Amino acid sequence: MDERILIVEDDAETAAAVRAVVEGMGCSVDHCDTLDAGIAAATSTPYKVIVLDRMLPGGDGVEAMARIRAGGSTALILILSALGRAANRVEGLEKGADDYLPKPFEPDELRARVRALLRRGTMQVLDNDLLVFGDLEIRLKARTVHVKRTHVAVSPKEFELITYFARNAGQVVTRMQLLENVWNLHFDPGTNVVDVHVGRLRRKLEEAGSLAIQTARGEGYVFAPLPGSPG
Amino acid sequence: MISRRPLAARATLRLAAVMALAVTLLSLGAMALQYRLVEARLMQAQRALLSADLDGFAALYDQRRIIALRQAIDYRAAAATGGEMLLLLDRNGTVLAGTRGGWPEGLQAEGDSFAVEPARAFSEAGTRWLAVARDLPGGFPLLVARSLQPVDDTLAAMRRGMLALLAAMLVAGGVVGWLAARSVMGRIGRLNDLADRVAEGALDARLPGPRSPDEFGLLETHVHGMLDRIQNLNRATHRLSDTIAHELRTPLNRMLLKLSRIEGQEDLAADLRAEMRQAIRMFDSLLDISRAEADQGSGGGLVPVDLSAVAGEVWELYEPLAEDKGLDAQALIAPGLRVLGDRNLIAQLLSNLLDNAIKYCAKGDLLTLTVAEAGDSILMRVADTGPGLPADMRGAAFERFVRADRDRGIKGHGLGLALVRAIAARHGARLTLPEGNTGFTLEILWPRLQQSD
């Protein structure tokens, strides 16, 4: 994965941590520590992803997104900010951010989010309808899930859940990502409410013979259906 | 918004009526005084004329007694104009001379001199007379009287004039009072409207146009100064909470990043991470409460939201949790009920309530979420048959960091209900804890958004 990623972050330690994460993913990294330098870099170089802080020397990253877009950048923007309340996240997303991760963050979660952005739109879709992961099939139009040709009865929400997992197959997906993308909720309820839903879906899949959903160390889940997975 | 129009109109009317009445009463007093003075003056003039007549008759009487008096009265009677009454009788009551044929009924002769006092007023055929009746020596009753008709005519004309003047003054006082009161009430009304707008959250509302150089202008300037100050403080508070978030999260972020580099003590690192996450969540709740309270009553940022749909989604999120805990859970949500709101905040409110209910209830308890039409409002009720609030906590349940002693073992910071209250207030919704129910019941009345809105 040789993608160029721009980090606009004034805190040196955070910038170093972000750099470590994305370099670990095989991406090349540029770093700016002021907003103006960030905008100049974003509009002069084709980046795939921009990790943008708020409350930077020179202004608010969220307010600068319009200028970055106006400058011709098509990069996906991940806001990484200490302003982490629901209202801040919604504001950031509504003003054009592609994702919003509040500080403090776990490097794993940052990795998951950047990967999700890098892989956005690259999901393999066969016949515009069928997603196949080994024994597991997801039919988008019929909204049905099959394991080894056997129909797995999932609720509408569980279908959205497995579709989101499928779009991010192989990557760590955090609880907050699930809340934001499946339930469109931008606050942390602080309970295991997401785990209960994922647990139910996982049980249904396991009963049908698929161990597609694994718990990821620390932060979330990985959807990793392997061809010929046991069961 | 509170409509003050009828109130202002009533106040204007009252003020106008009071002013008109005050002007009228003062004028009435002045006129009454004037009337009495004129009346006294006119009576005095009549009395002077009467006195002159009597002096003349007295002089003649001194010369030749009754004979001269009789001639003089005859002479005067021949030229009488009707404004005077003269009569002289003999001792048998026969008319010797005069302007009339007999002695007026009921009039007593008093004394035997030609002095003007005592004089008597008496009425005859609708005319008042000022009369001096004497019984002259030898038994000759004498009557000299002057008609009070000119006095009465003048006073009647004066009364008519005064009445017309009073009516005019009442009308003029009313009109002037109305105009003055309307101007005053208008100035007060402007300030009231401004206060209404500010109370609704428009802290930047100001009165347009120049200030007048009077007390009202000064009052407006003071109110504007006050609002500027409040607005600045509000802005500073918002800036401060953002800055606090930034300044506290940055070191927390560094700590978390360093934690991820620690190897060999994964359990300890995980515990620390969990603790930090708890602290951040608590901190977020506090900031959310402050922000919601600061935005209370402000319509800014609120959009039409399908409350039924949001309630349905949040219920769907929590229902499995309730089921897993063995609760009997049911949702009665009427469709399509809309409010002006913030979807995310409403979801957070409901999430807090359902989370609390599930946390405190035990297997077999009943949890019910109701969203129903209630006139102009929408009733949202979360009711459970769990342990409920301890009686001594009812008053303080919505304060920050308030938790029952028995709940110390259950995870939480006592911020959930405080946030619920702040979010409800942000939406202008009324929150109550109905008494008399077993378990915990909380009701929120949301102002309903009509389809046409």
Side-chain angles (χ1 to χ4, degrees):
Chain A
M1 205 186 297
D2 187 21
E3 309 281 6
R4 290 195 78 166
I5 291 185
L6 174 66
I7 301 166
V8 188
E9 169 65 65
D10 60 328
D11 181 59
E13 195 152 343
T14 307
V18 177
R19 177 186 282 270
V21 166
V22 286
E23 280 180 348
M25 295 163 66
C27 301
S28 56
V29 177
D30 292 330
H31 171 226
C32 302
D33 57 6
T34 65
L35 190 63
D36 290 339
I39 294 170
T43 51
S44 62
T45 312
Y47 291 104
K48 184 75 192 257
V49 172
I50 299 172
V51 180
L52 185 60
D53 189 17
R54 298 185 69 166
M55 300 181 85
L56 284 158
D60 186 341
V62 160
E63 303 303 330
M65 284 190 295
R67 284 164 67 194
I68 292 176
R69 295 283 182 233
S73 170
T74 56
L76 296 167
I77 297 177
L78 167 63
I79 300 282
L80 183 63
S81 169
L83 302 181
R85 285 176 290 143
N88 304 129
R89 295 183 200 203
V90 172
E91 183 196 8
L93 293 169
E94 277 179 354
K95 287 191 172 165
D98 296 284
D99 200 357
Y100 197 111
L101 180 61
K103 291 178 189 172
F105 61 91
E106 296 274 0
D108 282 347
E109 173 147 28
L110 176 65
R111 189 175 298 116
R113 301 243 180 192
V114 173
R115 271 222 178 94
L117 287 178
L118 288 174
R119 291 175 61 86
R120 181 181 275 198
T122 60
M123 184 172 66
Q124 293 163 347
V125 178
L126 304 175
D127 301 337
N128 277 335
D129 177 31
L130 189 65
L131 301 180
V132 181
F133 300 89
D135 294 340
L136 182 81
E137 287 178 14
I138 302 170
R139 294 175 197 274
L140 295 175
K141 281 183 188 151
R143 295 178 69 84
T144 55
V145 178
H146 302 264
V147 174
K148 294 176 189 163
R149 304 280 168 193
T150 310
H151 176 249
V152 180
V154 293
S155 71
K157 219 47 174 186
E158 286 166 349
F159 184 81
E160 284 178 44
L161 200 53
I162 197 169
T163 312
Y164 185 76
F165 273 130
R167 287 179 197 282
N168 296 283
Q171 315 303 324
V172 173
V173 174
T174 66
R175 293 176 180 84
M176 204 58 219
Q177 270 178 297
L178 291 174
L179 272 172
E180 285 177 351
N181 292 286
V182 178
W183 281 276
N184 191 22
L185 295 178
H186 300 277
F187 60 92
D188 180 0
T191 54
N192 59 342
V193 65
V194 173
D195 296 340
V196 172
H197 285 267
V198 175
R200 289 188 164 207
L201 176 62
R202 178 148 74 173
R203 268 199 302 285
K204 285 182 182 178
L205 295 178
E206 284 176 4
E207 279 166 17
S210 170
L211 297 176
I213 301 174
Q214 310 293 325
T215 304
R217 180 176 62 86
E219 276 300 306
Y221 302 94
V222 178
F223 182 73
L226 299 172
S229 61
Chain B
M1 166 165 168
I2 308 158
S3 172
R4 296 180 195 274
R5 287 280 140 232
L7 212 69
R10 275 208 300 278
T12 310
L13 204 64
R14 213 164 41 232
L15 205 56
V18 166
M19 286 172 85
L21 203 68
V23 168
T24 310
L25 281 175
L26 272 175
S27 310
L28 203 65
M31 285 178 185
L33 189 67
Q34 181 75 9
Y35 181 86
R36 288 290 163 217
L37 282 174
V38 169
E39 188 186 25
R41 199 57 196 261
L42 287 174
M43 288 300 285
Q44 205 180 356
Q46 291 303 91
R47 210 177 285 268
L49 287 173
L50 198 60
S51 178
D53 281 348
L54 285 167
D55 285 350
F57 289 138
L60 291 170
Y61 186 78
D62 281 347
Q63 289 167 21
R64 289 193 293 136
R65 304 290 165 196
I66 294 296
I67 296 164
L69 205 54
R70 185 179 182 176
Q71 282 174 349
I73 289 174
D74 264 342
Y75 180 75
R76 285 279 300 275
T81 54
E84 56 204 350
M85 189 187 278
L86 302 167
L87 188 64
L88 179 66
L89 305 181
D90 65 9
R91 64 175 62 88
N92 299 319
T94 311
V95 175
L96 295 179
T99 57
R100 52 184 292 148
W103 192 262
E105 216 172 295
L107 186 69
Q108 294 291 322
E110 297 167 285
D112 57 2
S113 74
F114 284 88
V116 75
E117 293 299 337
R120 286 276 174 270
F122 77 97
S123 290
E124 194 182 66
T127 307
R128 287 200 314 135
W129 297 86
L130 182 65
V132 170
R134 299 285 181 262
D135 207 3
L136 297 179
F140 293 92
L142 170 70
L143 171 66
V144 181
R146 290 201 74 90
S147 168
L148 289 177
Q149 193 63 42
V151 174
D152 287 345
D153 286 350
T154 306
L155 288 178
M158 199 171 161
R159 279 197 302 273
R160 278 196 301 278
M162 280 177 169
L163 219 60
L165 195 63
L166 265 181
M169 284 185 109
L170 199 64
V171 171
V175 170
V176 171
W178 173 265
L179 289 176
R182 204 177 62 161
S183 153
V184 170
M185 296 313 287
R187 304 293 291 273
I188 294 174
R190 258 157 66 92
L191 278 167
N192 273 331
D193 289 345
L194 175 67
D196 276 346
R197 275 162 42 220
V198 172
E200 282 166 9
L203 275 184
D204 56 345
R206 296 291 183 275
L207 291 172
R211 308 272 88 77
S212 54
D214 55 10
E215 277 74 8
F216 281 111
L218 195 63
L219 179 61
E220 288 176 7
T221 306
H222 285 157
V223 169
H224 277 192
M226 216 161 66
L227 287 176
D228 287 345
R229 178 110 180 95
I230 293 173
Q231 201 180 7
N232 285 340
L233 283 173
N234 203 41
R235 272 199 210 115
T237 309
H238 282 188
R239 259 200 313 275
L240 181 69
S241 57
D242 283 353
T243 310
I244 290 173
H246 185 258
E247 295 305 319
L248 278 181
R249 277 170 181 269
T250 303
L252 278 170
N253 192 40
R254 290 189 189 136
M255 281 145 86
L256 209 57
L257 293 173
K258 283 173 182 155
L259 266 181
S260 67
R261 292 206 291 272
I262 291 176
E263 286 179 5
Q265 295 194 56
E266 272 74 20
D267 286 351
L268 182 61
D271 276 358
L272 285 173
R273 257 189 219 110
E275 289 289 342
M276 284 167 69
R277 226 168 272 132
Q278 274 295 321
I280 290 165
R281 247 199 300 278
M282 178 178 77
F283 179 64
D284 281 350
S285 295
L286 281 173
L287 286 178
D288 283 340
I289 292 168
S290 302
R291 176 60 72 116
E293 280 177 349
D295 290 344
Q296 182 177 337
S298 143
L302 301 185
V303 294
V305 172
D306 187 334
L307 187 69
S308 308
V310 179
E313 286 166 24
V314 178
W315 177 257
E316 201 179 22
L317 181 66
Y318 278 90
E319 195 185 11
L321 217 65
E323 277 178 19
D324 281 6
K325 203 165 175 187
L327 306 186
D328 189 1
Q330 58 175 10
L332 308 165
I333 301 173
L337 300 177
R338 303 192 318 147
V339 296
L340 206 56
D342 177 325
R343 178 189 174 277
N344 214 52
L345 284 180
I346 295 172
Q348 202 164 353
L349 171 149
L350 201 50
S351 157
N352 276 4
L353 290 178
L354 294 178
D355 191 53
N356 262 356
I358 295 168
K359 206 154 58 181
Y360 292 110
C361 282
K363 189 175 174 173
D365 276 329
L366 174 66
L367 167 63
T368 316
L369 166 65
T370 311
V371 178
E373 205 176 314
D376 283 343
S377 308
I378 299 171
L379 171 72
M380 178 185 276
R381 181 193 295 124
V382 177
D384 66 50
T385 56
L389 278 179
D392 58 333
M393 260 195 63
R394 286 190 77 84
F398 295 99
E399 300 298 325
R400 286 163 225 210
F401 299 112
V402 170
R403 302 192 72 203
D405 286 335
R406 60 150 204 241
D407 300 331
R408 295 290 164 204
I410 298 177
K411 211 168 82 175
H413 297 286
L415 290 174
L417 286 181
L419 184 57
V420 165
R421 180 177 66 174
I423 293 176
R426 166 85 173 94
H427 288 81
R430 206 153 49 82
L431 191 144
T432 49
L433 293 175
E435 292 200 42
N437 294 295
T438 55
F440 181 76
T441 301
L442 186 140
E443 290 184 351
I444 303 175
L445 274 180
W446 302 78
R448 184 173 176 186
L449 184 67
Q450 300 303 326
Q451 287 304 322
S452 55
D453 290 343

